[in-house]
Amino acid sequence: MFYIYNILWLQLVISAKSTLERANRTTCVPGFESKLLIFRVSREHLRPGMRLGRVDFTDCTDHTIFLFSTDDSRFGVKADGVLVVIVLHKGLENFFIHSWDSHGQRITVPVSVVHSEHHHGHNNGHECGKHHHEDHTNIQHRSTNVDSANHTEVVPVLQFPKSGRGLRRRKRAGWVIPPLNVPENQRGIYPLKVAQIRSNEDKTWRVFYSLTGPGADLPPAGRFIMDKQTGNLYVTQPLDREETAMYTFEAHAVAEGAGQDMDPMEIIVNVIDQNDNKPYFTTEYKADVAEATAIGTEVVRVEAKDDDEPDNLNSDLRYRILNQDPPLPTDHMFEINPITGTIRVTGKGLDREKYPQYTLTVQAADMAGEGRTGQTKVILTVTDSNDNAPVFTQKSYSSTVDENKKNVVVVKMIATDEDEPQTPAWNTKFKIVSGDSDGLFTLKTGTNKQEGILSTAKELDFERVSKHTLLVSVENEIPFACGVSVVTSTATVVVNVKDVNEAAVFDPKEKLVVKPEDLAVDEVIVQYSASDPDTARKQKVVYKIMNDPAGWLNVDKDTGLIKVRRLMDREAPFITNNRYIATIGAYDDDAVPATGTGTLIIQLEDVNDNVPVIKQHEIKMCNKDPAPQLLSVTDKDGPEFGPPYSVSLQDMSKTHWTARMNDSRTGIILNLATELHSGYYSVILRVADKHGLEQDSIIKAEVCDCRGEDVMCTQRVGFGWLLCAKLCALLRKGEQKEPTSKDNIFYYNRDQSREDDQVNGHQF
């Protein structure tokens, strides 16, 4: 937008004209008298207020005062059509002048203001202020050099429409009232007259005028006032468009004695922008630019603000770089797009090591770069690009490592890089290029980012390879910059493997054999041997028992042949899941012997070497209608040599007792066959497993004088108890040994309470 001084007008409401006048008016075409207006001036510099000529316009009515506006704020058109200079002007200008016809339609004409050279005594055939028409192109030329400083200001007269009698607030269909345009910061003596309000009733009545609305009688009150008698509208102080861009009022006219008020007239005052605000930046800008940045790459974008009217020449900004510090290697390393503010790289030679930072002074100017200005700083830090390769400080390394050592540091290699420290272009990564096909080594980067640490990933074997030669390389974490040609640095690492005395190795490390549990003493179980990996040392390997929980084993010192030392037992407490585990050692005859170990697992197969056993040793029961007693039977052997069991009564027990197996053949149902006197009795039961391995057991039975299941006994010693006492005495004298046949009898010993108390050859 531009500074515009426009004088607005309101179409006068007039009485109906004669039929002839209406007929003549229909032939009139509203508009400017020419399709192009050219004003020639003899001065290159024009002063404010200078008259350039007059613009002829008609709206096909009898109006002589019109509303004009321009799209160049440096020129203004007064209501009478006089074109004047508002601000200083230089050279040729092209712009447009606008006006409106009686129906509110805008009409536009292009205008050129041309500076023409004048010589003394010669005026190119034009008279000052006179019209001159060239050929028939309907082009109007106007020239002037008149300075009309005392010209009387002409303001628009806004006419109230005539009100219909008896009607109030009547709509004015199609009635267009162009806004008034008042420049902000206007100079002059205030109050300044901007328009006059008139009513056609003032010919008959005395009319009083008033103004209402924000800026008049409402806040900000008093900025506009209206003369009550004349209807003159004044602005009382300079306006600020940035505070208030538009005012909307209602003008009122009251005819004294007319009996009614006229409809209010809406008045809009647009505050025309002037270039009273300079551009400004809200911040300084900081950005990074890599030293390998290609020409044309966008670095940063700056943006200024201007508080003048948007989309106006006063806020139309252009950018430029005023200064580059340092101006090296050239003073145009960067350029700025004058419209967008985008800064790009335009010069070659960005070098962080030489010029680590640039400071640009950037200017923003309004009026498309010709007006007021503001500045900011743009600080560009040149960041490192990967244009230097890391290099090993030495080309070869050598180290010695003991064999059979894992995760041992072999060597540390140092590299250097000229790029910026602690950046990806400086940080290194190492790689084994060749010499490690078996993956025996690892190569990692140290915490300082420039150290390669070579370690063993697996145990090295001297007997297999006594020396390893590796080729390693070093690179950066990021690729080299585009267009940079560098050579990757490499180094050679020689790893010597030191021979150490290694322990003999059993093969396999764990050996499983399956043997019956009744294997005889001195029977061979297995030969379990080991080999010495130190093939170059020619050492002798000997064997020993390292761990033998039950002491069942012997090993031949020279051969590793393992035999039975004592009878083994699958049911022994040293057995887990039928397995017995022993550790065998093999050691060499070195000055400092090395011992290897192997694990021998003997899985014992079950044999029928345990007789069935009755868990219960004592029972109580009534001698009348006694309740049967259930006795549980167990066998230490596995299921193959266990149930189903069988039972039989022995000797005198057959006379007074009954015994049979339950349905599962794992329990004995014992009961009285005859009524006995109360007292203690011994019942001999012979129990056999499914393979016939049997044993006699004695059950102590206390018979009470009672009936049924509820056993009630008195302290009475009977014959049965005396007999039991004698048996116990014999038991103490008898020789104890493990039962192995059906002749074995199980005795219950009250004092010892042990299941394995047995006596051979006694029948009861």
Side-chain angles (χ1 to χ4, degrees), residues 384-395:
D384 193 32
S385 294
N386 195 11
D387 55 353
N388 294 285
V391 179
F392 284 107
T393 57
Q394 59 189 80
K395 298 300 292 182

Side-chain angles (χ1 to χ4, degrees), residues 2-26:
F2 306 89
Y3 296 109
I4 306 172
Y5 183 76
N6 298 316
I7 308 300
L8 308 176
W9 57 271
L10 175 68
Q11 181 182 5
L12 299 177
V13 179
I14 59 175
S15 302
K17 301 294 181 180
S18 65
T19 304
L20 179 59
E21 288 175 338
R22 289 196 299 270
N24 292 336
R25 191 177 296 117
T26 59

Side-chain angles (χ1 to χ4, degrees), residues 370-473:
E370 300 295 330
R372 309 185 72 176
T373 63
Q375 294 182 5
T376 190
K377 298 290 185 182
V378 179
I379 299 174
L380 301 178
T381 300
V382 182
T383 60
D384 193 32
S385 294
N386 195 11
D387 55 353
N388 294 285
V391 179
F392 284 107
T393 57
Q394 59 189 80
K395 298 300 292 182
S396 62
Y397 299 84
S398 178
S399 180
T400 300
V401 179
D402 288 347
E403 65 174 331
N404 305 321
K405 298 292 184 180
K406 184 179 179 181
N407 298 325
V408 174
V409 174
V410 178
V411 69
K412 294 183 178 180
M413 298 165 285
I414 304 300
T416 60
D417 195 307
E418 294 181 2
D419 291 314
E420 184 176 0
Q422 308 305 325
T423 65
W426 181 85
N427 298 340
T428 58
K429 59 181 180 179
F430 298 83
K431 182 173 65 174
I432 299 175
V433 178
S434 62
D436 186 28
S437 58
D438 295 331
L440 300 176
F441 300 91
T442 59
L443 185 53
K444 298 180 180 179
T445 302
T447 56
N448 65 358
K449 295 298 185 180
Q450 289 210 319
E451 182 181 57
I453 303 174
L454 181 68
S455 305
T456 56
K458 300 177 182 178
E459 297 177 351
L460 304 183
D461 188 351
F462 172 83
E463 285 72 29
R464 182 181 177 192
V465 180
S466 61
K467 183 170 72 173
H468 299 268
T469 302
L470 310 178
L471 180 65
V472 298
S473 66

Side-chain angles (χ1 to χ4, degrees), residues 543-548 553-555 562 582-585:
Y543 302 91
K544 62 181 178 180
I545 300 293
M546 303 289 290
N547 184 37
D548 181 11
L553 307 177
N554 269 330
V555 62
I562 299 173
T583 304
I584 312 301

Side-chain angles (χ1 to χ4, degrees), residues 159 162 165 198-209 254-259 262:
Q159 190 79 25
K162 185 176 181 180
R165 295 297 180 182
R198 295 293 306 276
S199 169
N200 57 1
E201 298 287 345
D202 61 1
K203 298 177 182 178
T204 307
W205 308 92
R206 186 179 180 185
V207 178
F208 298 99
Y209 301 94
V254 179
E256 185 179 40
M262 302 178 190

